[in-house]
Amino acid sequence: MTSTPLLDASGVAKNYGAVAALRNASLSVLPGEVHALMGANGAGKSTLVKILTGAVPASAGRILIRGEARDVRSPAAARRAGLLPVYQEPSLIPDLDVLSNLRLTGTPVEPFRAWVRELGIPDLDIRDTARDIPLAVLRVLDLARALAVEPDVLLLDEMTAALPANLAEKVLEVVRRQGDSGRAVIFISHRFVEISALCDRATVLRDGETVGVVDIVPGVEEKIVELMLGARIVKTHVAARGANQAAATAASRPRLGVRNLRFGTKLNDVSFDLADGEVAGVVALEGQGQDELFAALAGSIRPSAGAIEVDGQPVKFTHPIDAIRAGLAYVPGDRAEALAMQRSVRENIALPFSAALRNWGPINMRRERAKVVSAIERLRIDTRAQGEVQRLSGGNQQKVTIARWIAADARTILCFDPTRGIDVGTKQEIYKLLRELAGNGKSVLFYTSELEEVQRVCDRVIVIFGGRVVDIFPVEEADEPALMRAAYGLPRGAKADIGILADPHSSSPETSDSPGTTP
Amino acid sequence: MSTTAIQSVPLGRRLKRFMADRPLIPLIILLVILVVILQILRPGIVNERWIANTIKFAIPLAILAGCQTMTMLTGGIDLSVGTVATMSAFIMATQVVNQDPAVAFLLAMMPAVLIGLVNGIGVGVFRVHPLIMTLGTSLIGTGCLQVYQRTVIASGAKIPDFLAWLGTGLTYGVPNALLLFVPLAALIVFTLSRTGFGRLLYAVGDNEHATRLSGVRYWQVISALYVISSVLAGITGLLYIGLIKAPSLSLAEPLVLPSVAAAVIGGTSIFGGRGGYTGTIIGALILTVLTTLLTILQMPEGARRILFGLIVLFVTAAYLRIVEER
Amino acid sequence: AGKYTIGISNTVQGNGWREEMVCAMKAQALASGEVAKLNIAHRNTDAAGQLEDIRNLISAKVDAIVVNPADPAGIKAGLEEATKAGIVVVAVDQAVTEPSAYIISNNQEQYAYLGAKWLFQQMGGKGEVFYMRGAAGASADSDRDKGFKKALAEFPDVKVAQEVFTGWQQDQAKQQILSFLSTGTPINGIWTSGIDNVIVDALVESQAPLVPIVGADNAGFVGQLSSVKGLVGAAVTNPGSIGGAGVTLALQILDGKKPAQQTVLVEPQLWENATEEGKAKLKAAADPSLSPEWPVSISIPDWTTYTKDQIVACKGPGE
Amino acid sequence: MSHFLRRQGWVASLFALFVMLFIITRLIQPAYGSGDFGSLVRAVLPYAFAVAAQTVVVIAGGIDLSVAAMMALTSVTAASMMNGASEEYALFVVPFVLAMGLVLGAVNGLLIVVTRVPDIVVTLATLFVLQGAALLVLDAPGGAAAEWLKALISGTVPIPGLPDGIDAWIPKALLLLIICICIIWIPLRRSKLGLSIYAIGSSELAAFRSGVPVARTRIIAYALSGLFAAFGGLALTMSTGIGAPIPGPYLLASVAAVVLGGVALGGGKGGLLGPIVAVFVLRLVRTDLTLLAIDPNVTAIIEGAIMVAVVMFGAFITMRGRQ
Ligand SMILES: Nc1ncnc2c1ncn2[C@@H]1O[C@H](COP(=O)(O)OP(=O)(O)OP(=O)(O)O)[C@@H](O)[C@H]1O
Ligand SMILES: Nc1ncnc2c1ncn2[C@@H]1O[C@H](COP(=O)(O)OP(=O)(O)OP(=O)(O)O)[C@@H](O)[C@H]1O
Ligand SMILES: [Mg+2]
Ligand SMILES: [Mg+2]
């Protein structure tokens, strides 16, 4: 293929004050290609997308669209040039209903509806206000809106990160077909499975610079990781707990007990235990009640029936502080929910220290500093832009939300999809961290939308479907097909074709960063 | 990640970055420019006496602007400070005629605490927008003051000597009011930067949901905040009556809008999460000097107001330009 | 015992003068024994708001409306409607352009002229005067400005050193005078539009020379005229009790005793402390028991019949 | 249906409150009739325009502190231009003043966009500027208004096909208000521009990324606000027949009515109907207080308490709804 690239950017640079988000990035996308853009957290992927689509002006660089130099100054101009993004954060107007959002962007309604159905959301009411729509669905709508105008180049920034497996699959299918129809897609993801299932080539960014363009062939992952991380090659073996540990945890009294928990129509009867030193995974498709379960445990909502026990004592939470006092710390999936974006990393981490009325007085700065710094170091947070959390990259922001509870030394951590949008290196760190915490006797309840993580980190898997616990089984039995079937509410052992992730050909290269956890 | 290389940056850029990191400096420069203009227009005006006067009038404004700074940090605003200050001043001046000063003081501070509490509960518990809540309580307070005023028409009024000393007195040419203000300002600055409560104000204004997840009870923070704001306003009222020495039913009302302006000029964001008190103090000084400047100018009142508006806009815009990065 | 309902409309709240006016209305209504109920609309608003109040009073079917107009011309339509509805309309303090309305008013132009003339005489017919006006754009202020300018024209050697608008706000006035004093500009006299006691305070505090000052008959200032050593000044009466007179006039008309002309002007008096005779007047007038913002002339001979206790109690019929 | 209720529920309850107050008014003063209602509408008129001006910018995520000053300036300009001029000249004055409001409003928006100073500060500054300009136009209340303009808001017009009994309840002022607002608001609300105004209020970033020209939309929102304020200024001149350079109490009243009317101060939510019904409610409360001859000092307390109570009640309802 020697056709001119649809999009050709070179020498792109972007400075935010003293921070250079991009130094010398280049990207060239051919027609009919699904092109992966990869890089560690903070490498500048999102920034590049924003520049290409006119959301942010570049400090330097040249952008050619179909061989012509174009100055894309605004998202509207990019749209006219045939470039449509789906950004890392949802960009529907929260207070307008879906229909108005479509009219605002001049999106035709019928194609949009068709795409929405295709993407696996059959019952969307387009008079619903965007604010009331769950995050995952919003992302899909964002995508459908872009698809509806048949863009030449679709730019997807971590499109699948916040999606449950069933929706993610549909997205991947649709994206692949885009490539087949002669259009191009720029696809950002930290999940190698997706990259290898989908993409033709990958451009790798490191520290704001393009460090390589590779063809996606089986086994290339190793190379990409090397490129992405440069000298910092991490090869951690996050082993699940050993057998002796298993015995220990089984014997001890449960740290957290959930008994017949109900909440409205979302949670119907959830019961399980969480032991000291255990990491329990929660697996569920989108909207099966996992949000409510975590919210109830975090004290954000009051369950309508059932009981929560901590160390065998029944507890009632009326406010998150009650849960925190009982040692339960909640890390929400959406970092924007957890962070004061204009404040410093330090203040964000130290926030729980001042929460209680009796801690409103003068702060012991030395002690605080020590704790904060140790948490920062433990999570390896990139502190170049620590004055304001909003300037950190998405992944580093995510780390701050966890660091807070490490600093506060919480005994039980409720992690809701903590690795959403985090690069492989960082993911490894977080897995290790969670295991380490468990090793220190802490308990972790861990919901993840990436099934393969379950095997890495968890001791046990709790499967929720339709607001009920449908299965609980040890990690040894939790291979991806089994998890997938369970998540769909199918009995264990049944066989069903459930999409490309079950396809052995596309998931087989997934070895580079999942060393030997599958039995 | 590699450290960013120290490049040779042009001087102008470096200067700008230097000032951006210390937002107080450009504000002080703006203040000095205004003073210099004043001195050019009326040579000799900038003398010891003028400085003392300016400080005397800037202090009540600065304290009220402190109330605005703190409430604005949480994304709120306190429009009832004018009424609260007036109430405590009026009650003090009328009660001290027949009461022990200490009793009069307590009586004077009572409505302040009460209004602060009502504001706090309205905003913190019922989630009424602070603008409406404080506007409402300020209307209610004014009404109550009017009713109260009728019961004391015959008793006359008196300004306690201590307040007059504090409000107008000078010691070695230095206004006594500084004795109250300096510790108060230090306390506010310290509270905002080095206490848990101050941290929470910023955090609540930035992302309330996040603070909730960290275990912060919003209503506690907000109630405490509005009570503190009201108490500060009450104290301002007492100081102000010592300065003006004429109790009236609208004594401190004219300070309300300028107090908001002082906080904003000083760099506090009206949307919450950003700002500080030192900037506010300079903001209050800038406004006070500006008022003098316009009094001195011989021009029609209309033109004077136009100039005032334009200068406020220019000062804020210039300040933003300097402090803003990029 | 009374039979009439009287409506009152006032558009400035929280100012001592206006409060006294309202209390005088109440006290007079009570003292007359002819009024069953007062219906008072008393708030801070503009001419359009006063129109609303007047129309509400018409809806309330009052027998007479006593109004301190926000503007002479701006409420014409409302007053006309009131007259058409058979309601007696009396404007106090300022004139109105509606011909059917009766007016009993302090003569604002004369108020300024009298005070300014005395002041310029005290200054020996020459020198610089600090001219502290009321609120820019208020009609009482522009009337007073006419009187001041008239006096100024009679003394060609008197110059206005500085003209400021106090907005009838004490804090503003004090800040203005202090700023002005610190410029060191010499002045020979100060004319104020009724914000007076804070000016004396400012002069005393800053140990500036006490130049002659003209103010209004506010209790605070009248007290200062007798008590502050070395202060030469004059208080021009601008009785808030004019409100009581308005009620009396309305009742007279309701009782069928129409006055000879539509307009009754109450002429101001000047009390100065430069002569023994003036001092005696001041002494008689001074009333330290009053709130310092209240004018001391709490009654108007022939027009008001209440006692001091009644006006100070500020109670109307049925309260 | 549920969409409609969720969106219009607040307006509907406000309207119910208004009807209830109206019934109370009739109980207090059985003779309260169509003429009195006409008075109410005339009192509402300037407030309604002020609140419309405020609503537009609040929906766009801003606030306009210069509303009352803009009304004063347009009012004195109209009054001084019409002073001693012919009746026909007013035909020129009205569009001139409206255009002036539009342009000055746009300047507000432009300053906000260009200086990047927060809207609250810019409009505070223009508040002083406009007030000063009003004082330069007329240093004391004065001027005049054409008779036909004044007649435009008094009495009723016979509407063909309506019985007189009903016609009497539709005063000209109400028609004028409805027409002026409908001509501007209804087409706007349905247009892409209207959506853009909601969009920048709801989330500026999302709006920008959806291709909305944020700066232009903001300027237009402020221009519209200026236009409505100019209508308000004209309404003042029409009802009083003069222009007064000191702004009336319309600023705080407009903000209060915006919130009472269910428009979130953060922007992006609500409509124009709610705030205008809120203005009717507030004015009728005033009438009732006067009819009841309540102690005037207590009326301030009552008005404040009602404002706080209604908003608290609304907040309480939303809180309940959320749980
Ligand atoms: N507005 C901003 N101000 C200052 N620095 C910024 C800003 N936005 C991004 N940065 C910095 O630019 C760098 C690149 O950020 P970007 O969001 O593009 O990373 P990313 O590759 O998308 O990372 P992630 O995978 O975590 O989303 C980071 O170091 C970040 O701190
Ligand atoms: N300002 C601070 N700086 C650093 N660490 C702090 C600070 N305040 C509290 N901590 C630490 O955070 C943890 C929780 O402190 P906190 O005082 O909130 O205890 P708590 O869990 O509420 O106490 P208790 O369980 O006794 O009620 C402790 O480990 C404490 O040492
Ligand atoms: Mg990113
Ligand atoms: Mg990411």
Side-chain angles (χ1 to χ4, degrees), chain B residues 49 146 150 154 168 240 243 245 295 298 304, chain C residues 13 19 26 161-163 171 174 181 205 289 312:
Chain B
R49 210 162 73 187
Q146 303 263 348
R150 252 184 325 183
T168 57
Y240 204 48
L243 175 59
K245 293 197 199 153
T295 307
Q298 281 290 10
R304 220 176 266 168
Chain C
Q13 201 179 19
E19 296 300 326
K26 288 181 169 182
Q162 177 98 32
E163 176 179 328
D171 62 324
K174 189 158 188 185
L181 289 176
E205 276 161 27
S289 73
V312 162

PDB file of all heavy atoms in Angstrom, chain B residues 49 146 150 154 168 240 243 245 295 298 304, chain C residues 13 19 26 161-163 171 174 181 205 289 312:
ATOM      1  N   ARG B  49      -0.289  60.749  57.613  1.00  0.00           N
ATOM      2  CA  ARG B  49      -1.692  60.819  58.007  1.00  0.00           C
ATOM      3  C   ARG B  49      -2.566  60.097  56.977  1.00  0.00           C
ATOM      4  O   ARG B  49      -3.483  59.366  57.316  1.00  0.00           O
ATOM      5  CB  ARG B  49      -2.113  62.282  58.109  1.00  0.00           C
ATOM      6  CG  ARG B  49      -3.180  62.467  59.137  1.00  0.00           C
ATOM      7  CD  ARG B  49      -3.277  63.896  59.543  1.00  0.00           C
ATOM      8  NE  ARG B  49      -3.891  64.688  58.482  1.00  0.00           N
ATOM      9  CZ  ARG B  49      -3.982  66.017  58.529  1.00  0.00           C
ATOM     10  NH1 ARG B  49      -3.463  66.678  59.538  1.00  0.00           N
ATOM     11  NH2 ARG B  49      -4.560  66.673  57.569  1.00  0.00           N
ATOM     12  N   GLN B 146     -34.727  46.807  61.927  1.00  0.00           N
ATOM     13  CA  GLN B 146     -35.702  47.896  61.845  1.00  0.00           C
ATOM     14  C   GLN B 146     -36.668  47.832  63.022  1.00  0.00           C
ATOM     15  O   GLN B 146     -36.996  48.845  63.633  1.00  0.00           O
ATOM     16  CB  GLN B 146     -36.522  47.774  60.563  1.00  0.00           C
ATOM     17  CG  GLN B 146     -35.730  47.770  59.306  1.00  0.00           C
ATOM     18  CD  GLN B 146     -35.674  49.131  58.685  1.00  0.00           C
ATOM     19  OE1 GLN B 146     -36.408  50.010  59.091  1.00  0.00           O
ATOM     20  NE2 GLN B 146     -34.809  49.309  57.729  1.00  0.00           N
ATOM     21  N   ARG B 150     -36.869  50.549  66.576  1.00  0.00           N
ATOM     22  CA  ARG B 150     -37.985  51.313  67.124  1.00  0.00           C
ATOM     23  C   ARG B 150     -38.023  51.242  68.635  1.00  0.00           C
ATOM     24  O   ARG B 150     -38.519  52.139  69.286  1.00  0.00           O
ATOM     25  CB  ARG B 150     -39.285  50.777  66.548  1.00  0.00           C
ATOM     26  CG  ARG B 150     -39.854  51.759  65.565  1.00  0.00           C
ATOM     27  CD  ARG B 150     -41.157  51.303  65.063  1.00  0.00           C
ATOM     28  NE  ARG B 150     -41.154  49.860  64.941  1.00  0.00           N
ATOM     29  CZ  ARG B 150     -42.171  49.152  64.461  1.00  0.00           C
ATOM     30  NH1 ARG B 150     -43.243  49.741  64.061  1.00  0.00           N
ATOM     31  NH2 ARG B 150     -42.111  47.855  64.370  1.00  0.00           N
ATOM     32  N   ALA B 154     -35.607  56.063  71.802  1.00  0.00           N
ATOM     33  CA  ALA B 154     -35.516  57.020  72.910  1.00  0.00           C
ATOM     34  C   ALA B 154     -34.237  56.866  73.708  1.00  0.00           C
ATOM     35  O   ALA B 154     -33.844  57.775  74.418  1.00  0.00           O
ATOM     36  CB  ALA B 154     -36.718  56.857  73.823  1.00  0.00           C
ATOM     37  N   THR B 168     -10.452  54.697  65.656  1.00  0.00           N
ATOM     38  CA  THR B 168      -9.890  55.928  65.111  1.00  0.00           C
ATOM     39  C   THR B 168      -8.520  56.273  65.673  1.00  0.00           C
ATOM     40  O   THR B 168      -7.815  57.092  65.091  1.00  0.00           O
ATOM     41  CB  THR B 168     -10.817  57.121  65.387  1.00  0.00           C
ATOM     42  OG1 THR B 168     -11.010  57.187  66.797  1.00  0.00           O
ATOM     43  CG2 THR B 168     -12.143  56.954  64.686  1.00  0.00           C
ATOM     44  N   TYR B 240     -15.984  49.039  62.985  1.00  0.00           N
ATOM     45  CA  TYR B 240     -16.434  50.057  62.053  1.00  0.00           C
ATOM     46  C   TYR B 240     -17.211  51.157  62.773  1.00  0.00           C
ATOM     47  O   TYR B 240     -17.074  52.340  62.435  1.00  0.00           O
ATOM     48  CB  TYR B 240     -17.311  49.392  60.989  1.00  0.00           C
ATOM     49  CG  TYR B 240     -17.384  50.142  59.686  1.00  0.00           C
ATOM     50  CD1 TYR B 240     -16.228  50.598  59.070  1.00  0.00           C
ATOM     51  CD2 TYR B 240     -18.596  50.384  59.073  1.00  0.00           C
ATOM     52  CE1 TYR B 240     -16.285  51.277  57.882  1.00  0.00           C
ATOM     53  CE2 TYR B 240     -18.662  51.068  57.869  1.00  0.00           C
ATOM     54  CZ  TYR B 240     -17.497  51.511  57.289  1.00  0.00           C
ATOM     55  OH  TYR B 240     -17.545  52.177  56.104  1.00  0.00           O
ATOM     56  N   LEU B 243     -14.987  53.485  64.148  1.00  0.00           N
ATOM     57  CA  LEU B 243     -14.366  54.344  63.139  1.00  0.00           C
ATOM     58  C   LEU B 243     -15.320  55.437  62.664  1.00  0.00           C
ATOM     59  O   LEU B 243     -14.967  56.607  62.576  1.00  0.00           O
ATOM     60  CB  LEU B 243     -13.931  53.468  61.957  1.00  0.00           C
ATOM     61  CG  LEU B 243     -13.366  54.164  60.722  1.00  0.00           C
ATOM     62  CD1 LEU B 243     -12.151  54.969  61.091  1.00  0.00           C
ATOM     63  CD2 LEU B 243     -13.001  53.126  59.674  1.00  0.00           C
ATOM     64  N   LYS B 245     -18.413  56.176  64.066  1.00  0.00           N
ATOM     65  CA  LYS B 245     -19.022  56.823  65.238  1.00  0.00           C
ATOM     66  C   LYS B 245     -20.418  57.330  64.977  1.00  0.00           C
ATOM     67  O   LYS B 245     -20.811  58.356  65.537  1.00  0.00           O
ATOM     68  CB  LYS B 245     -18.150  57.982  65.715  1.00  0.00           C
ATOM     69  CG  LYS B 245     -16.817  57.546  66.263  1.00  0.00           C
ATOM     70  CD  LYS B 245     -16.241  58.667  67.059  1.00  0.00           C
ATOM     71  CE  LYS B 245     -14.783  58.546  67.259  1.00  0.00           C
ATOM     72  NZ  LYS B 245     -14.169  59.859  67.432  1.00  0.00           N
ATOM     73  N   THR B 295     -12.007  60.330  44.656  1.00  0.00           N
ATOM     74  CA  THR B 295     -12.535  61.479  45.396  1.00  0.00           C
ATOM     75  C   THR B 295     -11.754  62.734  45.034  1.00  0.00           C
ATOM     76  O   THR B 295     -12.307  63.822  44.906  1.00  0.00           O
ATOM     77  CB  THR B 295     -12.432  61.219  46.908  1.00  0.00           C
ATOM     78  OG1 THR B 295     -13.051  59.973  47.182  1.00  0.00           O
ATOM     79  CG2 THR B 295     -13.122  62.312  47.694  1.00  0.00           C
ATOM     80  N   GLN B 298     -11.232  65.894  40.115  1.00  0.00           N
ATOM     81  CA  GLN B 298     -12.334  66.826  39.889  1.00  0.00           C
ATOM     82  C   GLN B 298     -13.033  66.440  38.589  1.00  0.00           C
ATOM     83  O   GLN B 298     -12.559  66.757  37.510  1.00  0.00           O
ATOM     84  CB  GLN B 298     -11.809  68.260  39.789  1.00  0.00           C
ATOM     85  CG  GLN B 298     -11.499  68.903  41.106  1.00  0.00           C
ATOM     86  CD  GLN B 298     -12.738  69.216  41.926  1.00  0.00           C
ATOM     87  OE1 GLN B 298     -13.834  68.806  41.612  1.00  0.00           O
ATOM     88  NE2 GLN B 298     -12.542  69.957  43.007  1.00  0.00           N
ATOM     89  N   ARG B 304     -16.605  59.716  37.237  1.00  0.00           N
ATOM     90  CA  ARG B 304     -15.859  59.090  38.323  1.00  0.00           C
ATOM     91  C   ARG B 304     -16.213  57.617  38.423  1.00  0.00           C
ATOM     92  O   ARG B 304     -15.355  56.758  38.573  1.00  0.00           O
ATOM     93  CB  ARG B 304     -16.248  59.809  39.605  1.00  0.00           C
ATOM     94  CG  ARG B 304     -15.122  60.046  40.535  1.00  0.00           C
ATOM     95  CD  ARG B 304     -15.591  60.833  41.710  1.00  0.00           C
ATOM     96  NE  ARG B 304     -15.395  62.268  41.536  1.00  0.00           N
ATOM     97  CZ  ARG B 304     -15.945  63.191  42.333  1.00  0.00           C
ATOM     98  NH1 ARG B 304     -16.749  62.825  43.311  1.00  0.00           N
ATOM     99  NH2 ARG B 304     -15.701  64.456  42.136  1.00  0.00           N
TER     100      ARG B 304
ATOM    101  N   GLN C  13     -35.485  53.182  53.161  1.00  0.00           N
ATOM    102  CA  GLN C  13     -35.605  52.538  54.453  1.00  0.00           C
ATOM    103  C   GLN C  13     -34.248  52.549  55.147  1.00  0.00           C
ATOM    104  O   GLN C  13     -33.222  52.485  54.478  1.00  0.00           O
ATOM    105  CB  GLN C  13     -36.062  51.087  54.225  1.00  0.00           C
ATOM    106  CG  GLN C  13     -36.684  50.460  55.426  1.00  0.00           C
ATOM    107  CD  GLN C  13     -37.147  49.048  55.135  1.00  0.00           C
ATOM    108  OE1 GLN C  13     -36.717  48.432  54.189  1.00  0.00           O
ATOM    109  NE2 GLN C  13     -38.024  48.538  55.979  1.00  0.00           N
ATOM    110  N   GLU C  19     -37.040  57.294  58.913  1.00  0.00           N
ATOM    111  CA  GLU C  19     -37.656  56.558  60.010  1.00  0.00           C
ATOM    112  C   GLU C  19     -38.460  57.522  60.873  1.00  0.00           C
ATOM    113  O   GLU C  19     -39.569  57.226  61.302  1.00  0.00           O
ATOM    114  CB  GLU C  19     -36.602  55.832  60.849  1.00  0.00           C
ATOM    115  CG  GLU C  19     -35.834  54.749  60.097  1.00  0.00           C
ATOM    116  CD  GLU C  19     -36.721  53.642  59.553  1.00  0.00           C
ATOM    117  OE1 GLU C  19     -37.725  53.304  60.181  1.00  0.00           O
ATOM    118  OE2 GLU C  19     -36.400  53.128  58.451  1.00  0.00           O
ATOM    119  N   LYS C  26     -47.199  57.832  62.031  1.00  0.00           N
ATOM    120  CA  LYS C  26     -47.918  56.932  62.924  1.00  0.00           C
ATOM    121  C   LYS C  26     -48.443  57.688  64.135  1.00  0.00           C
ATOM    122  O   LYS C  26     -49.619  57.563  64.515  1.00  0.00           O
ATOM    123  CB  LYS C  26     -46.982  55.821  63.407  1.00  0.00           C
ATOM    124  CG  LYS C  26     -46.644  54.799  62.355  1.00  0.00           C
ATOM    125  CD  LYS C  26     -45.729  53.768  62.993  1.00  0.00           C
ATOM    126  CE  LYS C  26     -45.550  52.556  62.115  1.00  0.00           C
ATOM    127  NZ  LYS C  26     -44.705  51.560  62.794  1.00  0.00           N
ATOM    128  N   ALA C 161     -13.882  74.143  46.509  1.00  0.00           N
ATOM    129  CA  ALA C 161     -12.574  73.487  46.446  1.00  0.00           C
ATOM    130  C   ALA C 161     -12.731  72.075  45.915  1.00  0.00           C
ATOM    131  O   ALA C 161     -11.906  71.581  45.166  1.00  0.00           O
ATOM    132  CB  ALA C 161     -11.943  73.442  47.833  1.00  0.00           C
ATOM    133  N   GLN C 162     -13.810  71.454  46.305  1.00  0.00           N
ATOM    134  CA  GLN C 162     -14.011  70.059  45.912  1.00  0.00           C
ATOM    135  C   GLN C 162     -15.488  69.736  46.080  1.00  0.00           C
ATOM    136  O   GLN C 162     -16.126  70.166  47.023  1.00  0.00           O
ATOM    137  CB  GLN C 162     -13.177  69.151  46.826  1.00  0.00           C
ATOM    138  CG  GLN C 162     -13.356  67.689  46.559  1.00  0.00           C
ATOM    139  CD  GLN C 162     -12.242  67.147  45.688  1.00  0.00           C
ATOM    140  OE1 GLN C 162     -11.121  67.621  45.759  1.00  0.00           O
ATOM    141  NE2 GLN C 162     -12.559  66.177  44.874  1.00  0.00           N
ATOM    142  N   GLU C 163     -16.013  68.997  45.134  1.00  0.00           N
ATOM    143  CA  GLU C 163     -17.410  68.579  45.216  1.00  0.00           C
ATOM    144  C   GLU C 163     -17.449  67.066  45.268  1.00  0.00           C
ATOM    145  O   GLU C 163     -16.858  66.399  44.427  1.00  0.00           O
ATOM    146  CB  GLU C 163     -18.160  69.102  43.982  1.00  0.00           C
ATOM    147  CG  GLU C 163     -19.592  68.654  43.886  1.00  0.00           C
ATOM    148  CD  GLU C 163     -20.279  69.233  42.637  1.00  0.00           C
ATOM    149  OE1 GLU C 163     -19.920  70.354  42.218  1.00  0.00           O
ATOM    150  OE2 GLU C 163     -21.154  68.554  42.091  1.00  0.00           O
ATOM    151  N   ASP C 171     -20.239  56.469  56.218  1.00  0.00           N
ATOM    152  CA  ASP C 171     -18.875  55.963  56.075  1.00  0.00           C
ATOM    153  C   ASP C 171     -18.184  56.569  54.867  1.00  0.00           C
ATOM    154  O   ASP C 171     -17.014  56.938  54.918  1.00  0.00           O
ATOM    155  CB  ASP C 171     -18.871  54.440  56.003  1.00  0.00           C
ATOM    156  CG  ASP C 171     -19.638  53.930  54.800  1.00  0.00           C
ATOM    157  OD1 ASP C 171     -20.650  54.558  54.456  1.00  0.00           O
ATOM    158  OD2 ASP C 171     -19.221  52.924  54.214  1.00  0.00           O
ATOM    159  N   LYS C 174     -17.183  60.100  55.629  1.00  0.00           N
ATOM    160  CA  LYS C 174     -16.022  60.208  56.525  1.00  0.00           C
ATOM    161  C   LYS C 174     -14.736  59.898  55.766  1.00  0.00           C
ATOM    162  O   LYS C 174     -13.733  60.595  55.919  1.00  0.00           O
ATOM    163  CB  LYS C 174     -16.174  59.255  57.704  1.00  0.00           C
ATOM    164  CG  LYS C 174     -15.122  59.497  58.754  1.00  0.00           C
ATOM    165  CD  LYS C 174     -15.521  58.985  60.103  1.00  0.00           C
ATOM    166  CE  LYS C 174     -14.515  59.428  61.148  1.00  0.00           C
ATOM    167  NZ  LYS C 174     -14.793  58.862  62.460  1.00  0.00           N
ATOM    168  N   LEU C 181      -8.741  65.879  53.691  1.00  0.00           N
ATOM    169  CA  LEU C 181      -7.918  66.590  54.675  1.00  0.00           C
ATOM    170  C   LEU C 181      -6.450  66.244  54.500  1.00  0.00           C
ATOM    171  O   LEU C 181      -5.575  67.101  54.615  1.00  0.00           O
ATOM    172  CB  LEU C 181      -8.367  66.233  56.092  1.00  0.00           C
ATOM    173  CG  LEU C 181      -9.717  66.812  56.520  1.00  0.00           C
ATOM    174  CD1 LEU C 181     -10.094  66.298  57.893  1.00  0.00           C
ATOM    175  CD2 LEU C 181      -9.677  68.331  56.502  1.00  0.00           C
ATOM    176  N   GLU C 205     -10.840  64.328  65.138  1.00  0.00           N
ATOM    177  CA  GLU C 205      -9.880  63.228  65.214  1.00  0.00           C
ATOM    178  C   GLU C 205      -8.558  63.564  64.530  1.00  0.00           C
ATOM    179  O   GLU C 205      -7.499  63.220  65.029  1.00  0.00           O
ATOM    180  CB  GLU C 205     -10.431  62.002  64.472  1.00  0.00           C
ATOM    181  CG  GLU C 205     -11.356  61.153  65.272  1.00  0.00           C
ATOM    182  CD  GLU C 205     -12.178  60.276  64.341  1.00  0.00           C
ATOM    183  OE1 GLU C 205     -11.697  59.971  63.232  1.00  0.00           O
ATOM    184  OE2 GLU C 205     -13.308  59.942  64.719  1.00  0.00           O
ATOM    185  N   SER C 289     -31.289  62.642  73.973  1.00  0.00           N
ATOM    186  CA  SER C 289     -31.902  61.332  74.171  1.00  0.00           C
ATOM    187  C   SER C 289     -32.335  60.722  72.836  1.00  0.00           C
ATOM    188  O   SER C 289     -32.691  59.561  72.768  1.00  0.00           O
ATOM    189  CB  SER C 289     -33.117  61.449  75.081  1.00  0.00           C
ATOM    190  OG  SER C 289     -34.171  62.069  74.385  1.00  0.00           O
ATOM    191  N   VAL C 312     -41.655  58.963  69.683  1.00  0.00           N
ATOM    192  CA  VAL C 312     -40.556  58.066  70.010  1.00  0.00           C
ATOM    193  C   VAL C 312     -41.063  56.629  70.150  1.00  0.00           C
ATOM    194  O   VAL C 312     -40.401  55.682  69.751  1.00  0.00           O
ATOM    195  CB  VAL C 312     -39.848  58.563  71.296  1.00  0.00           C
ATOM    196  CG1 VAL C 312     -39.013  57.446  71.885  1.00  0.00           C
ATOM    197  CG2 VAL C 312     -38.973  59.763  70.968  1.00  0.00           C
TER     198      VAL C 312
END
